[in-house]
Amino acid sequence: MTTAAGSPPGRAEALIELVGVGKTYRSGPLEVDALRGVDLRIDEGEYVAIMGPSGSGKSTLMHVLGCLDVASTGSYRLAGADVGQMDEEELAAVRNRRIGFVFQQFNLLSSMPAWRNVELPLSYAGVARAERRDRALAALARVGLAARAEHRPGELSGGQQQRVAIARALVTEPALLLADEPTGNLDSAATTDVLALLAELNALGRTVVLITHEEDVAAAASRVVRILDGEIHSDTGAGVAA
């Protein structure tokens, strides 16, 4: 017996399903296979770290998962929707509403206070101004920065700036939080703080995918997928969320 989506009873629904995904970059006569036949399933509610050295393909995989790039071969389904069949407008909508991005560079606008930075995705989505502010303030409160809502990025520590970036990623209530080297610019104390926040968000049911090359950062996740030469090298679990 399976669920309607084909999952065994008691198993969480698949949020991410990659089957035979390859990505080839072409420059004139040259072809580089950045991903080669990647099969990967991540269930709703998982906390997964994707690890690999520079040039392993993890950044390309992150771009595919985040709908920032499309696979050359294979299929990618996000919450059951076939990403490969989407046009640019549909991909943009998925990026804005279904995926929350957190990057190594905080990408905050220095001239805007924290709450204005957080509300930006809602502005792009056409949400009314009053609702945008309320949701931005609620997101800042969720990451422990309610008292810093009016502070500009230059008035915040690195760890606080990353918390603002996480609040911005959460404000649209996305299905997936995709964090690309989120602690790369932080000291050890701020790294611990941000990883604790990601773990807390996951404990509340958020699906978190963390891209990193650092062993201690990957250890914060409940599952580690290692990629090497564009292929999955090892995986400590395979869609094990209950």
Side-chain angles (χ1 to χ4, degrees), residues 17-26 31-40 60-61 64 69-77 82-85 230:
E17 289 181 288
L18 274 65
V19 178
V21 165
K23 180 63 183 179
T24 300
Y25 293 104
R26 294 177 174 84
E31 292 187 354
V32 176
D33 293 324
L35 294 176
R36 308 176 190 182
V38 172
D39 295 329
L40 178 66
T60 301
L61 181 56
V64 171
D69 205 348
V70 294
S72 303
T73 58
S75 66
Y76 172 25
R77 303 186 78 88
D82 189 345
V83 172
Q85 299 301 312

Side-chain angles (χ1 to χ4, degrees), residues 127-175:
V127 176
R129 181 178 298 180
E131 183 181 349
R132 294 201 308 261
R133 180 180 171 87
D134 288 346
R135 288 173 62 176
L137 292 175
L140 284 169
R142 189 184 302 184
V143 301
L145 286 181
R148 297 288 188 270
E150 295 293 343
H151 287 64
R152 288 177 170 77
E155 300 169 322
L156 301 172
S157 69
Q160 289 173 332
Q161 289 184 63
Q162 192 60 290
R163 280 179 170 262
V164 173
I166 293 172
R168 181 183 57 197
L170 293 173
V171 77
T172 58
E173 295 295 334

Side-chain angles (χ1 to χ4, degrees), residues 70 90-91 98 108 114 179:
V70 294
E90 291 169 322
L91 288 171
R98 308 205 68 166
L108 302 177

Side-chain angles (χ1 to χ4, degrees), residues 15-233:
L15 179 63
I16 288 169
E17 289 181 288
L18 274 65
V19 178
V21 165
K23 180 63 183 179
T24 300
Y25 293 104
R26 294 177 174 84
S27 178
L30 298 178
E31 292 187 354
V32 176
D33 293 324
L35 294 176
R36 308 176 190 182
V38 172
D39 295 329
L40 178 66
R41 171 179 169 138
I42 296 175
D43 288 346
E44 293 178 357
E46 284 200 82
Y47 184 178
V48 180
I50 296 177
M51 275 203 71
S54 178
S56 63
K58 69 180 186 300
S59 294
T60 301
L61 181 56
M62 186 276 292
H63 280 82
V64 171
L65 293 177
C67 299
L68 298 166
D69 205 348
V70 294
S72 303
T73 58
S75 66
Y76 172 25
R77 303 186 78 88
L78 177 64
D82 189 345
V83 172
Q85 299 301 312
M86 297 179 185
D87 60 26
E88 272 304 320
E89 185 175 344
E90 291 169 322
L91 288 171
V94 168
R95 290 192 297 266
N96 185 254
R97 297 170 188 169
R98 308 205 68 166
I99 304 173
F101 293 93
V102 182
F103 297 104
Q104 179 175 347
Q105 306 295 336
F106 313 128
N107 295 334
L108 302 177
L109 298 179
S110 61
S111 62
M112 290 184 175
W115 74 267
R116 289 289 306 278
N117 272 282
V118 172
E119 73 158 7
L120 282 175
L122 299 177
S123 178
Y124 300 146
V127 176
R129 181 178 298 180
E131 183 181 349
R132 294 201 308 261
R133 180 180 171 87
D134 288 346
R135 288 173 62 176
L137 292 175
L140 284 169
R142 189 184 302 184
V143 301
L145 286 181
R148 297 288 188 270
E150 295 293 343
H151 287 64
R152 288 177 170 77
E155 300 169 322
L156 301 172
S157 69
Q160 289 173 332
Q161 289 184 63
Q162 192 60 290
R163 280 179 170 262
V164 173
I166 293 172
R168 181 183 57 197
L170 293 173
V171 77
T172 58
E173 295 295 334
L176 171 64
L177 186 61
L178 186 57
D180 183 23
E181 302 280 4
T183 62
N185 285 336
L186 304 180
D187 61 25
S188 58
T191 292
T192 299
D193 187 42
V194 166
L195 291 177
L197 175 58
L198 292 176
E200 177 185 336
L201 292 169
N202 175 250
L204 292 172
R206 187 75 56 189
T207 304
V208 179
V209 175
L210 172 67
I211 311 296
T212 185
H213 66 277
E214 300 179 78
E215 293 283 352
D216 55 340
V217 173
S222 56
R223 174 183 171 194
V224 179
V225 176
R226 297 178 187 272
I227 186 168
L228 186 65
D229 296 329
E231 300 176 318
I232 300 295
H233 183 65

